[in-house]
Amino acid sequence: MASPGAPAIPQRNLEYCEVQYWDQRYKGSADLSPYEWFGDFSSFRALLEPELLPEDRILVLGCGNSALSYELFLGGFPNVTSVDYSPVVIAAMQARYSHVPSLCWETMDVRTLGFPSGSFDVVLEKGTLDALLAGERDPWNVSSEGIRTVDQVLNEVSRVLVPGGRFISMTSAGPHFRTRHYAQARYGWSLTHATYGSGFHFHFYLMQKGRELSVTQLALGAQIFSTPSPPTSPCFLQDSDHEDFLSAIQL
């Protein structure tokens, strides 16, 4: 049974991909505490801040009601635009942070960003791709629809980044699942990986536009178009928030 004040967990993981679920979940969220996927700002701050400059134009994808955008502002990075496809949560965040005019909130689908090319120095996402892939049944063999969804997002990220811009992705998905998606030459970026968190480790991917992927990474990227069978059944990990979707999105 969910504890009082806990977010409503859907009956099917696929619902995490549906805007209707998020609209319902975020009703009244202006009065609720921020909900953080994969750790709060303090847990990855040491990895994130060295990649940021005070003058950076930062885009946060799938912001939900996370405090990340506000924490960035408090940390000395005031130019933050946050998008989510739930108009309910965007309205709630606009109301919550109306006292911070430098924070911009927009209702937008991350697969079709409404910004001109080269609009941002940094793009951040924390759990957004995980939610979009929550309906996948087999993390070893991603469906063509899942591959296409991720590609739509990453193409948009690359487009809105300036040369030398950085894309940072925080997720529960380890390199054996997620590198295949990120390591595509057409995005025009390099890729590095780190972990953060105590006990349960999450993953921090940094991509820099204008640099190149390694030969090994390109080979891994080519695997997304094949359908290898795993040697053993996957061992699904769980986050401390116990939301079931984490058992189906390590991609």
Side-chain angles (χ1 to χ4, degrees), residues 93-113:
M93 297 301 270
Q94 288 172 333
R96 174 178 289 176
Y97 297 113
S98 60
H99 62 292
V100 188
S102 70
L103 295 181
C104 178
W105 308 90
E106 299 282 351
T107 302
M108 199 173 294
D109 191 318
V110 298
R111 292 164 287 194
T112 53
L113 296 172

Side-chain angles (χ1 to χ4, degrees), residues 217-230:
Q217 289 170 336
L218 288 169
L220 288 172
Q223 293 178 8
I224 200 70
F225 302 107
S226 63
T227 54
S229 298

